[in-house]
């Protein structure tokens, strides 16, 4: 192919306008399955409390006709539980010049950055709510510690997350220990030997929750465990796609012997744990809702702070279950 001598090409041209798309593309995940699934309530103190109550165990109950009551059964008091609120924040500082210039993909730099920080804050909340007790989860934490979380003048209060509450119905690996919590005392969970995720483990955990009176409606697993879940043989005859050319390789609804459960992956939980949850038995208790405040102006810049204060309310952990120590 020959080029005519003297052809004026873009390589020599000066002043060509840049071609910058007026949109910003993001891939960072923002879905928060647990935070979105549970009810929302109001907290009124930094230590949020609630009560639980169990019915007496079933017993042989046959009485003689006309018999008088000579003794009375002791009344079992309620159990009082609580969780500390945790403060989470994000901040933004934008120079006056950066606010004045025209940028692609957003009309107002401060508004755009606040929307980004709000999404980041929501992700941080999801990780904290799923943790044991150290405020974070996933690849950046272990099961948690037994240190105090009441806070002080030099230490932040930290809530106790999902990993630190489910104690009754747990399927554990060798040497794994469930958390133990009573008012004023808490023993952290201990990770056990990891093993492959199986449907037998899942069914065992579901049965444990049902026996306690629970009616789980959500199975929440890490991305890798979600793929393992979709290979369970219980779902092999569930789909008949002979009439079309699509291939169904995922299980998003699990019909168990004890009810139907939605199955969702969660990027922010520990991959070694599968949660089986009755979502109505958990709640996000908020002391201070999302609030954006202007900080003092000390120069040629605008400063803002986003704050939220919240905790996890474990209404009845016996209604849920967990399969832990998964590889």
């Amino acid at each position: 192919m020959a080029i005519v001598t003297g052809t004026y090409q873009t390589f020599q041209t000066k002043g060509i306008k840049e071609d910058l798309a007026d949109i910003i593309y993001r891939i960072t995940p923002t879905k928060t399955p647990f935070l979105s699934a549970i009810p929302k309530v109001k907290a009124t103190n930094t230590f949020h409390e609630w009560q639980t109550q169990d019915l007496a165990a079933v017993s042989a109950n046959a009485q003689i006709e006309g018999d008088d009551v000579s003794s009375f059964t002791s009344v079992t008091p309620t159990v009082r539980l609580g969780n500390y609120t945790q403060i989470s924040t994000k901040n933004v500082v934008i120079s006056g010049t950066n606010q004045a210039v025209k940028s692609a993909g957003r009309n107002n730099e401060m508004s755009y950055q606040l929307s980004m920080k709000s999404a980041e804050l929501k992700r941080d909340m999801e990780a904290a709510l799923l943790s044991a007790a150290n405020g974070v989860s996933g690849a950046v934490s272990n099961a948690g510690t037994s240190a105090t979380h009441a806070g002080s003048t030099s230490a932040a209060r930290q809530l106790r997350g999902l990993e630190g509450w489910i104690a009754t119905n747990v399927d554990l690996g060798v040497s794994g220990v469930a958390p133990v919590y009573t008012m004023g005392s808490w023993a952290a969970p201990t990770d056990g030997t990891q093993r492959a995720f199986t449907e037998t483990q899942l069914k065992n955990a579901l049965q444990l929750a049902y026996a306690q009176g629970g009616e789980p409606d959500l199975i929440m697993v890490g991305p890798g465990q979600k793929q393992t879940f979709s290979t369970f043989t219980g779902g092999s005859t569930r789909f008949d796609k002979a009439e079309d050319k699509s291939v169904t390789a995922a299980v998003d609804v699990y019909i168990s012997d004890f009810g139907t459960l939605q199955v969702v992956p969660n990027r922010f939980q520990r991959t070694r744990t599968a949660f089986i949850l009755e979502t109505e038995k958990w709640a996000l208790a908020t002391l201070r809702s999302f609030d954006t405040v202007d900080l003092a102006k000390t120069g040629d810049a605008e400063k803002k702070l986003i704050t939220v204060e919240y905790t996890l309310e474990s209404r009845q952990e016996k209604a849920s279950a967990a399969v832990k120590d998964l590889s």
Side-chain angles (χ1 to χ4, degrees):
M1 182 179 292
I3 299 175
V4 177
T5 302
T7 299
Y8 188 41
Q9 299 175 298
T10 59
F11 309 109
Q12 293 104 18
T13 304
K14 306 298 183 183
I16 297 177
K17 287 186 176 181
E18 65 177 3
D19 179 14
L20 177 59
D22 197 22
I23 189 170
I24 299 171
Y25 300 98
R26 296 202 308 261
I27 192 173
T28 309
T30 57
K31 289 184 178 180
T32 51
F34 183 61
L35 181 59
S36 300
I38 60 177
K40 312 299 185 289
V41 297
K42 177 65 178 173
T44 59
N45 202 334
T46 56
F47 189 61
H48 177 64
E49 297 179 84
W50 60 94
Q51 299 178 82
T52 64
Q53 179 79 74
D54 290 343
L55 297 177
V58 174
S59 62
N61 196 335
Q63 309 299 328
I64 299 172
E65 182 179 336
D67 194 20
D68 194 9
V69 179
S70 58
S71 63
F72 293 85
T73 304
S74 298
V75 174
T76 302
T78 60
V79 177
R80 190 168 170 174
L81 301 174
N83 205 354
Y84 289 105
T85 59
Q86 179 169 316
I87 302 171
S88 296
T89 66
K90 290 287 182 178
N91 59 74
V92 183
V93 55
I94 304 292
S95 72
T97 302
N98 204 3
Q99 273 289 84
V101 299
K102 188 174 182 179
S103 301
R106 64 271 198 198
N107 295 322
N108 184 291
E109 188 65 37
M110 177 59 78
S111 297
Y112 174 73
Q113 293 300 330
L114 286 175
S115 69
M116 290 285 291
K117 296 300 181 182
S118 295
E120 292 172 4
L121 191 52
K122 190 177 177 184
R123 286 154 44 98
D124 291 348
M125 292 174 67
E126 179 83 351
L129 292 168
L130 294 170
S131 70
N134 49 0
V136 292
S137 188
V140 291
S141 82
N142 56 22
T145 69
S146 57
T148 179
H149 304 285
S152 66
T153 56
S154 58
R157 287 190 304 276
Q158 293 179 329
L159 64 84
R160 181 168 296 109
L162 199 56
E163 287 269 10
W165 280 106
I166 300 179
T168 305
N169 310 314
V170 286
D171 188 299
L172 298 162
V174 176
S175 301
V177 179
V180 178
Y181 176 73
T182 55
M183 183 61 76
S185 176
W186 183 70
T190 301
D191 286 338
T193 303
Q194 289 179 274
R195 66 268 167 82
F197 188 21
T198 67
E199 193 168 8
T200 298
Q201 297 162 357
L202 175 68
K203 288 182 174 181
N204 177 51
L206 278 165
Q207 182 180 356
L208 290 172
Y210 177 80
Q212 291 290 339
E215 297 182 0
D217 53 82
L218 180 70
I219 297 173
M220 197 166 61
V221 291
Q225 303 303 346
K226 178 60 170 68
Q227 290 188 311
T228 300
F229 189 98
S230 294
T231 66
F232 289 171
T233 56
S236 61
T237 60
R238 193 166 305 166
F239 306 101
D240 182 7
K241 292 294 182 179
E243 72 280 4
D244 59 37
K245 295 183 179 180
S246 63
V247 176
T248 302
V251 174
D252 298 319
V253 176
Y254 188 76
I255 302 176
S256 74
D257 293 318
F258 311 109
T260 301
L261 300 91
Q262 296 293 318
V263 186
V264 298
N266 193 324
R267 298 177 178 92
F268 304 109
Q269 72 179 73
R270 302 178 79 210
T271 57
R272 62 186 295 146
T273 303
F275 295 111
I276 299 97
L277 307 173
E278 183 175 340
T279 52
E280 286 296 318
K281 292 301 190 291
W282 305 91
L284 174 72
T286 305
L287 181 61
R288 289 187 290 161
S289 299
F290 279 87
D291 189 27
T292 302
V293 297
D294 296 322
L295 299 182
K297 190 176 178 64
T298 56
D300 184 21
E302 187 178 352
K303 305 172 186 175
K304 291 186 183 291
L305 178 71
I306 308 174
T307 305
V308 63
E309 188 165 358
Y310 59 100
T311 193
L312 179 63
E313 183 178 291
S314 174
R315 294 173 169 178
Q316 185 50 268
E317 62 84 21
K318 293 180 181 179
S320 300
V323 180
K324 295 194 171 187
D325 304 319
L326 303 177
S327 57

